[in-house]
Amino acid sequence: KNVYTFLDNGAPYTIVIGAHYDHLGKGNHGNSLDPNPVGKIHNGADDNASGTAGVMELARYYATNGIKENCNFLFIHFSAEESGLIGSKYFSNHPSIDLNTVQCMINMDMIGRLNDSTHSLMVHGVGTSPAFVNLVQAVPHNGMKLTLDSSGIGPSDFTSFYLKNVPVLAVFTGSHNDYHKPSDDADKINYPGEVTVLQYVTKLVGTLCL
């Protein structure tokens, strides 16, 4: 089941901010990389509690910042991403708003492991709008080193929107040895790093909403 809420600013266009909230349960899912996963809790702190926490924080921020932005916001937590983007595929086929009014879909999947040494952030989807490469690079990025990927197709929910001709951007702090293992837990999250990523996303949104 997808969980979503709409912040109506009376604008003609909407920005969708989303993340998947499912993970691998107790290792019966079939996608665990642990050699003996069954019965072990896979909390998925980075994949993707980090993204869902980011969506909730941005929803709180835009609902309480006292500013009426020049765009509406649709905040979505998608289900069943790990089973094949099922939640986002369903939403894109049965949207609660006209997808033609969606200016951009911003996806946050695994944003909790910003490396303190490389400070690298990958941004997918920069080729899905002619404006994105310059915009993504021009926005102040708090000292992070950006790695850009042009494709709107990838192993996360932004793909479902791109296939409906919606421009997409997806932020990602990188894979790691705890990926899809029980060891992907809360003590491994770089909390100040996630704040840095979210601050960057708000700057992107601020430019998109002009």
Side-chain angles (χ1 to χ4, degrees), residues 85-120:
L85 314 185
I86 293 173
S88 57
K89 284 179 183 176
Y90 182 87
F91 182 88
S92 65
N93 287 321
H94 306 86
S96 61
I97 61 173
D98 183 354
L99 291 183
N100 290 320
T101 67
V102 176
Q103 188 174 9
C104 177
M105 188 275 177
I106 299 175
N107 192 70
M108 297 189 291
D109 192 352
M110 297 178 63
I111 60 169
R113 293 286 195 99
L114 188 68
N115 188 297
D116 286 330
S117 298
T118 63
H119 228 54
S120 178

mmCIF file of all heavy atoms in Angstrom, residues 85-120:
data_model
loop_
_atom_site.group_PDB
_atom_site.id
_atom_site.type_symbol
_atom_site.label_atom_id
_atom_site.label_comp_id
_atom_site.label_asym_id
_atom_site.label_seq_id
_atom_site.Cartn_x
_atom_site.Cartn_y
_atom_site.Cartn_z
ATOM 1 N N LEU A 85 9.337 -2.586 -8.113
ATOM 2 C CA LEU A 85 8.735 -1.254 -8.278
ATOM 3 C C LEU A 85 7.203 -1.315 -8.335
ATOM 4 O O LEU A 85 6.550 -0.491 -8.986
ATOM 5 C CB LEU A 85 9.252 -0.566 -9.552
ATOM 6 C CG LEU A 85 10.752 -0.605 -9.837
ATOM 7 C CD1 LEU A 85 11.076 0.244 -11.078
ATOM 8 C CD2 LEU A 85 11.572 -0.145 -8.655
ATOM 9 N N ILE A 86 6.624 -2.261 -7.630
ATOM 10 C CA ILE A 86 5.181 -2.509 -7.755
ATOM 11 C C ILE A 86 4.356 -1.312 -7.297
ATOM 12 O O ILE A 86 3.388 -0.916 -7.957
ATOM 13 C CB ILE A 86 4.786 -3.783 -6.983
ATOM 14 C CG1 ILE A 86 5.404 -5.004 -7.658
ATOM 15 C CG2 ILE A 86 3.267 -3.928 -6.903
ATOM 16 C CD1 ILE A 86 5.220 -6.296 -6.887
ATOM 17 N N GLY A 87 4.732 -0.708 -6.169
ATOM 18 C CA GLY A 87 3.961 0.414 -5.658
ATOM 19 C C GLY A 87 3.991 1.619 -6.577
ATOM 20 O O GLY A 87 2.945 2.235 -6.854
ATOM 21 N N SER A 88 5.176 1.966 -7.061
ATOM 22 C CA SER A 88 5.274 3.137 -7.938
ATOM 23 C C SER A 88 4.658 2.863 -9.309
ATOM 24 O O SER A 88 4.079 3.764 -9.933
ATOM 25 C CB SER A 88 6.719 3.594 -8.077
ATOM 26 O OG SER A 88 7.554 2.562 -8.565
ATOM 27 N N LYS A 89 4.750 1.633 -9.789
ATOM 28 C CA LYS A 89 4.087 1.292 -11.051
ATOM 29 C C LYS A 89 2.577 1.457 -10.904
ATOM 30 O O LYS A 89 1.907 1.993 -11.798
ATOM 31 C CB LYS A 89 4.411 -0.153 -11.452
ATOM 32 C CG LYS A 89 5.794 -0.368 -12.017
ATOM 33 C CD LYS A 89 6.007 -1.846 -12.353
ATOM 34 C CE LYS A 89 7.406 -2.117 -12.865
ATOM 35 N NZ LYS A 89 7.634 -3.566 -13.098
ATOM 36 N N TYR A 90 2.052 1.006 -9.770
ATOM 37 C CA TYR A 90 0.605 1.136 -9.566
ATOM 38 C C TYR A 90 0.213 2.605 -9.529
ATOM 39 O O TYR A 90 -0.763 3.020 -10.163
ATOM 40 C CB TYR A 90 0.170 0.451 -8.263
ATOM 41 C CG TYR A 90 -1.328 0.543 -8.068
ATOM 42 C CD1 TYR A 90 -2.167 -0.416 -8.615
ATOM 43 C CD2 TYR A 90 -1.900 1.611 -7.376
ATOM 44 C CE1 TYR A 90 -3.548 -0.329 -8.466
ATOM 45 C CE2 TYR A 90 -3.270 1.710 -7.234
ATOM 46 C CZ TYR A 90 -4.096 0.748 -7.780
ATOM 47 O OH TYR A 90 -5.455 0.860 -7.648
ATOM 48 N N PHE A 91 0.998 3.417 -8.788
ATOM 49 C CA PHE A 91 0.641 4.830 -8.697
ATOM 50 C C PHE A 91 0.724 5.505 -10.059
ATOM 51 O O PHE A 91 -0.149 6.306 -10.420
ATOM 52 C CB PHE A 91 1.546 5.565 -7.707
ATOM 53 C CG PHE A 91 1.162 7.010 -7.559
ATOM 54 C CD1 PHE A 91 0.205 7.388 -6.632
ATOM 55 C CD2 PHE A 91 1.733 7.987 -8.359
ATOM 56 C CE1 PHE A 91 -0.183 8.719 -6.520
ATOM 57 C CE2 PHE A 91 1.364 9.315 -8.254
ATOM 58 C CZ PHE A 91 0.399 9.678 -7.328
ATOM 59 N N SER A 92 1.757 5.212 -10.818
ATOM 60 C CA SER A 92 1.907 5.871 -12.118
ATOM 61 C C SER A 92 0.800 5.467 -13.088
ATOM 62 O O SER A 92 0.463 6.233 -13.998
ATOM 63 C CB SER A 92 3.275 5.563 -12.722
ATOM 64 O OG SER A 92 3.412 4.193 -13.033
ATOM 65 N N ASN A 93 0.220 4.298 -12.885
ATOM 66 C CA ASN A 93 -0.910 3.866 -13.711
ATOM 67 C C ASN A 93 -2.259 4.316 -13.166
ATOM 68 O O ASN A 93 -3.259 4.323 -13.899
ATOM 69 C CB ASN A 93 -0.913 2.341 -13.860
ATOM 70 C CG ASN A 93 0.186 1.845 -14.779
ATOM 71 O OD1 ASN A 93 0.477 2.460 -15.797
ATOM 72 N ND2 ASN A 93 0.807 0.731 -14.417
ATOM 73 N N HIS A 94 -2.306 4.683 -11.880
ATOM 74 C CA HIS A 94 -3.545 5.147 -11.240
ATOM 75 C C HIS A 94 -3.238 6.389 -10.401
ATOM 76 O O HIS A 94 -3.428 6.390 -9.184
ATOM 77 C CB HIS A 94 -4.145 4.055 -10.345
ATOM 78 C CG HIS A 94 -4.359 2.740 -11.042
ATOM 79 N ND1 HIS A 94 -3.352 1.784 -11.144
ATOM 80 C CD2 HIS A 94 -5.436 2.234 -11.678
ATOM 81 C CE1 HIS A 94 -3.834 0.737 -11.804
ATOM 82 N NE2 HIS A 94 -5.091 0.976 -12.144
ATOM 83 N N PRO A 95 -2.733 7.456 -11.027
ATOM 84 C CA PRO A 95 -2.276 8.620 -10.253
ATOM 85 C C PRO A 95 -3.423 9.379 -9.609
ATOM 86 O O PRO A 95 -4.543 9.406 -10.131
ATOM 87 C CB PRO A 95 -1.569 9.477 -11.309
ATOM 88 C CG PRO A 95 -2.238 9.113 -12.594
ATOM 89 C CD PRO A 95 -2.573 7.656 -12.481
ATOM 90 N N SER A 96 -3.112 10.011 -8.489
ATOM 91 C CA SER A 96 -4.115 10.813 -7.785
ATOM 92 C C SER A 96 -4.181 12.228 -8.345
ATOM 93 O O SER A 96 -5.085 12.985 -7.993
ATOM 94 C CB SER A 96 -3.793 10.856 -6.287
ATOM 95 O OG SER A 96 -2.523 11.454 -6.067
ATOM 96 N N ILE A 97 -3.204 12.597 -9.194
ATOM 97 C CA ILE A 97 -3.209 13.879 -9.882
ATOM 98 C C ILE A 97 -2.872 13.637 -11.346
ATOM 99 O O ILE A 97 -2.392 12.559 -11.705
ATOM 100 C CB ILE A 97 -2.206 14.883 -9.267
ATOM 101 C CG1 ILE A 97 -0.774 14.343 -9.357
ATOM 102 C CG2 ILE A 97 -2.573 15.216 -7.830
ATOM 103 C CD1 ILE A 97 0.286 15.337 -8.935
ATOM 104 N N ASP A 98 -3.105 14.620 -12.182
ATOM 105 C CA ASP A 98 -2.778 14.521 -13.595
ATOM 106 C C ASP A 98 -1.249 14.544 -13.739
ATOM 107 O O ASP A 98 -0.605 15.537 -13.378
ATOM 108 C CB ASP A 98 -3.416 15.690 -14.346
ATOM 109 C CG ASP A 98 -3.177 15.628 -15.856
ATOM 110 O OD1 ASP A 98 -2.420 14.753 -16.313
ATOM 111 O OD2 ASP A 98 -3.746 16.484 -16.558
ATOM 112 N N LEU A 99 -0.668 13.490 -14.259
ATOM 113 C CA LEU A 99 0.786 13.428 -14.396
ATOM 114 C C LEU A 99 1.324 14.488 -15.352
ATOM 115 O O LEU A 99 2.511 14.822 -15.311
ATOM 116 C CB LEU A 99 1.225 12.041 -14.855
ATOM 117 C CG LEU A 99 1.051 10.903 -13.838
ATOM 118 C CD1 LEU A 99 1.592 9.596 -14.410
ATOM 119 C CD2 LEU A 99 1.727 11.218 -12.512
ATOM 120 N N ASN A 100 0.474 15.015 -16.209
ATOM 121 C CA ASN A 100 0.900 16.096 -17.099
ATOM 122 C C ASN A 100 1.200 17.381 -16.337
ATOM 123 O O ASN A 100 1.838 18.290 -16.885
ATOM 124 C CB ASN A 100 -0.161 16.368 -18.162
ATOM 125 C CG ASN A 100 -0.276 15.235 -19.171
ATOM 126 O OD1 ASN A 100 0.729 14.666 -19.580
ATOM 127 N ND2 ASN A 100 -1.492 14.911 -19.554
ATOM 128 N N THR A 101 0.735 17.459 -15.086
ATOM 129 C CA THR A 101 0.998 18.647 -14.267
ATOM 130 C C THR A 101 2.193 18.446 -13.340
ATOM 131 O O THR A 101 2.509 19.334 -12.548
ATOM 132 C CB THR A 101 -0.230 19.013 -13.415
ATOM 133 O OG1 THR A 101 -0.452 17.992 -12.420
ATOM 134 C CG2 THR A 101 -1.473 19.170 -14.283
ATOM 135 N N VAL A 102 2.854 17.292 -13.441
ATOM 136 C CA VAL A 102 4.009 17.022 -12.584
ATOM 137 C C VAL A 102 5.264 17.598 -13.241
ATOM 138 O O VAL A 102 5.666 17.179 -14.322
ATOM 139 C CB VAL A 102 4.181 15.515 -12.326
ATOM 140 C CG1 VAL A 102 5.451 15.254 -11.516
ATOM 141 C CG2 VAL A 102 2.968 14.968 -11.581
ATOM 142 N N GLN A 103 5.856 18.565 -12.597
ATOM 143 C CA GLN A 103 7.054 19.216 -13.129
ATOM 144 C C GLN A 103 8.277 18.320 -13.024
ATOM 145 O O GLN A 103 9.135 18.310 -13.898
ATOM 146 C CB GLN A 103 7.283 20.527 -12.376
ATOM 147 C CG GLN A 103 8.380 21.403 -12.932
ATOM 148 C CD GLN A 103 8.435 22.737 -12.223
ATOM 149 O OE1 GLN A 103 7.768 22.948 -11.218
ATOM 150 N NE2 GLN A 103 9.233 23.654 -12.742
ATOM 151 N N CYS A 104 8.340 17.557 -11.928
ATOM 152 C CA CYS A 104 9.490 16.692 -11.697
ATOM 153 C C CYS A 104 9.155 15.708 -10.590
ATOM 154 O O CYS A 104 8.396 16.034 -9.678
ATOM 155 C CB CYS A 104 10.706 17.530 -11.299
ATOM 156 S SG CYS A 104 12.191 16.566 -10.895
ATOM 157 N N MET A 105 9.699 14.497 -10.678
ATOM 158 C CA MET A 105 9.638 13.536 -9.589
ATOM 159 C C MET A 105 11.045 13.418 -9.007
ATOM 160 O O MET A 105 12.014 13.155 -9.734
ATOM 161 C CB MET A 105 9.152 12.173 -10.088
ATOM 162 C CG MET A 105 8.886 11.160 -8.976
ATOM 163 S SD MET A 105 10.344 10.261 -8.443
ATOM 164 C CE MET A 105 9.674 9.279 -7.115
ATOM 165 N N ILE A 106 11.179 13.658 -7.716
ATOM 166 C CA ILE A 106 12.463 13.536 -7.030
ATOM 167 C C ILE A 106 12.421 12.293 -6.159
ATOM 168 O O ILE A 106 11.566 12.166 -5.279
ATOM 169 C CB ILE A 106 12.770 14.785 -6.182
ATOM 170 C CG1 ILE A 106 12.850 16.023 -7.077
ATOM 171 C CG2 ILE A 106 14.069 14.601 -5.398
ATOM 172 C CD1 ILE A 106 13.036 17.317 -6.312
ATOM 173 N N ASN A 107 13.333 11.373 -6.410
ATOM 174 C CA ASN A 107 13.367 10.100 -5.693
ATOM 175 C C ASN A 107 14.551 10.066 -4.730
ATOM 176 O O ASN A 107 15.656 10.491 -5.065
ATOM 177 C CB ASN A 107 13.499 8.952 -6.700
ATOM 178 C CG ASN A 107 13.258 7.599 -6.073
ATOM 179 O OD1 ASN A 107 12.138 7.270 -5.700
ATOM 180 N ND2 ASN A 107 14.297 6.789 -5.963
ATOM 181 N N MET A 108 14.302 9.565 -3.529
ATOM 182 C CA MET A 108 15.373 9.438 -2.535
ATOM 183 C C MET A 108 15.448 7.977 -2.089
ATOM 184 O O MET A 108 14.595 7.499 -1.350
ATOM 185 C CB MET A 108 15.099 10.382 -1.353
ATOM 186 C CG MET A 108 15.092 11.842 -1.770
ATOM 187 S SD MET A 108 15.020 13.015 -0.393
ATOM 188 C CE MET A 108 13.353 12.706 0.200
ATOM 189 N N ASP A 109 16.462 7.301 -2.568
ATOM 190 C CA ASP A 109 16.660 5.887 -2.257
ATOM 191 C C ASP A 109 18.110 5.704 -1.824
ATOM 192 O O ASP A 109 19.025 5.866 -2.625
ATOM 193 C CB ASP A 109 16.352 5.036 -3.488
ATOM 194 C CG ASP A 109 16.250 3.549 -3.176
ATOM 195 O OD1 ASP A 109 16.567 3.156 -2.028
ATOM 196 O OD2 ASP A 109 15.860 2.781 -4.066
ATOM 197 N N MET A 110 18.304 5.389 -0.542
ATOM 198 C CA MET A 110 19.643 5.221 0.044
ATOM 199 C C MET A 110 20.397 6.551 0.049
ATOM 200 O O MET A 110 21.300 6.783 -0.749
ATOM 201 C CB MET A 110 20.431 4.127 -0.688
ATOM 202 C CG MET A 110 19.801 2.753 -0.570
ATOM 203 S SD MET A 110 20.667 1.449 -1.469
ATOM 204 C CE MET A 110 22.241 1.413 -0.632
ATOM 205 N N ILE A 111 20.010 7.424 0.957
ATOM 206 C CA ILE A 111 20.668 8.729 1.094
ATOM 207 C C ILE A 111 21.324 8.874 2.469
ATOM 208 O O ILE A 111 21.654 9.982 2.882
ATOM 209 C CB ILE A 111 19.681 9.888 0.848
ATOM 210 C CG1 ILE A 111 18.510 9.862 1.850
ATOM 211 C CG2 ILE A 111 19.160 9.848 -0.590
ATOM 212 C CD1 ILE A 111 17.652 11.113 1.819
ATOM 213 N N GLY A 112 21.542 7.745 3.160
ATOM 214 C CA GLY A 112 22.026 7.798 4.531
ATOM 215 C C GLY A 112 23.480 7.450 4.737
ATOM 216 O O GLY A 112 23.931 7.316 5.875
ATOM 217 N N ARG A 113 24.240 7.294 3.660
ATOM 218 C CA ARG A 113 25.634 6.871 3.816
ATOM 219 C C ARG A 113 26.594 7.819 3.097
ATOM 220 O O ARG A 113 27.535 7.380 2.428
ATOM 221 C CB ARG A 113 25.816 5.455 3.289
ATOM 222 C CG ARG A 113 25.108 4.370 4.088
ATOM 223 C CD ARG A 113 25.804 4.080 5.412
ATOM 224 N NE ARG A 113 25.331 2.834 5.985
ATOM 225 C CZ ARG A 113 25.981 1.672 5.889
ATOM 226 N NH1 ARG A 113 27.137 1.597 5.276
ATOM 227 N NH2 ARG A 113 25.464 0.581 6.429
ATOM 228 N N LEU A 114 26.366 9.118 3.191
ATOM 229 C CA LEU A 114 27.305 10.059 2.584
ATOM 230 C C LEU A 114 28.682 9.816 3.170
ATOM 231 O O LEU A 114 28.883 9.865 4.376
ATOM 232 C CB LEU A 114 26.855 11.500 2.840
ATOM 233 C CG LEU A 114 27.634 12.587 2.103
ATOM 234 C CD1 LEU A 114 27.374 12.512 0.598
ATOM 235 C CD2 LEU A 114 27.264 13.972 2.629
ATOM 236 N N ASN A 115 29.639 9.540 2.285
ATOM 237 C CA ASN A 115 30.994 9.210 2.712
ATOM 238 C C ASN A 115 31.733 10.477 3.130
ATOM 239 O O ASN A 115 31.857 11.420 2.356
ATOM 240 C CB ASN A 115 31.740 8.499 1.573
ATOM 241 C CG ASN A 115 33.079 7.956 1.991
ATOM 242 O OD1 ASN A 115 33.968 8.704 2.370
ATOM 243 N ND2 ASN A 115 33.230 6.643 1.914
ATOM 244 N N ASP A 116 32.235 10.499 4.360
ATOM 245 C CA ASP A 116 32.909 11.690 4.870
ATOM 246 C C ASP A 116 34.221 11.977 4.148
ATOM 247 O O ASP A 116 34.726 13.106 4.198
ATOM 248 C CB ASP A 116 33.168 11.554 6.376
ATOM 249 C CG ASP A 116 31.906 11.728 7.202
ATOM 250 O OD1 ASP A 116 31.013 12.481 6.748
ATOM 251 O OD2 ASP A 116 31.798 11.122 8.283
ATOM 252 N N SER A 117 34.773 10.983 3.474
ATOM 253 C CA SER A 117 36.024 11.184 2.750
ATOM 254 C C SER A 117 35.787 11.693 1.330
ATOM 255 O O SER A 117 36.359 12.695 0.899
ATOM 256 C CB SER A 117 36.828 9.882 2.694
ATOM 257 O OG SER A 117 37.173 9.450 3.996
ATOM 258 N N THR A 118 34.909 10.998 0.590
ATOM 259 C CA THR A 118 34.669 11.378 -0.807
ATOM 260 C C THR A 118 33.589 12.441 -0.936
ATOM 261 O O THR A 118 33.580 13.213 -1.888
ATOM 262 C CB THR A 118 34.253 10.157 -1.626
ATOM 263 O OG1 THR A 118 33.016 9.637 -1.119
ATOM 264 C CG2 THR A 118 35.317 9.076 -1.552
ATOM 265 N N HIS A 119 32.652 12.466 0.029
ATOM 266 C CA HIS A 119 31.549 13.432 0.011
ATOM 267 C C HIS A 119 30.838 13.416 -1.342
ATOM 268 O O HIS A 119 30.501 14.458 -1.898
ATOM 269 C CB HIS A 119 32.075 14.840 0.335
ATOM 270 C CG HIS A 119 31.270 15.549 1.374
ATOM 271 N ND1 HIS A 119 30.999 15.001 2.609
ATOM 272 C CD2 HIS A 119 30.667 16.764 1.359
ATOM 273 C CE1 HIS A 119 30.280 15.843 3.314
ATOM 274 N NE2 HIS A 119 30.043 16.915 2.580
ATOM 275 N N SER A 120 30.602 12.209 -1.851
ATOM 276 C CA SER A 120 30.072 12.049 -3.200
ATOM 277 C C SER A 120 28.577 11.761 -3.183
ATOM 278 O O SER A 120 28.102 10.915 -2.424
ATOM 279 C CB SER A 120 30.811 10.905 -3.907
ATOM 280 O OG SER A 120 30.303 10.699 -5.193
#
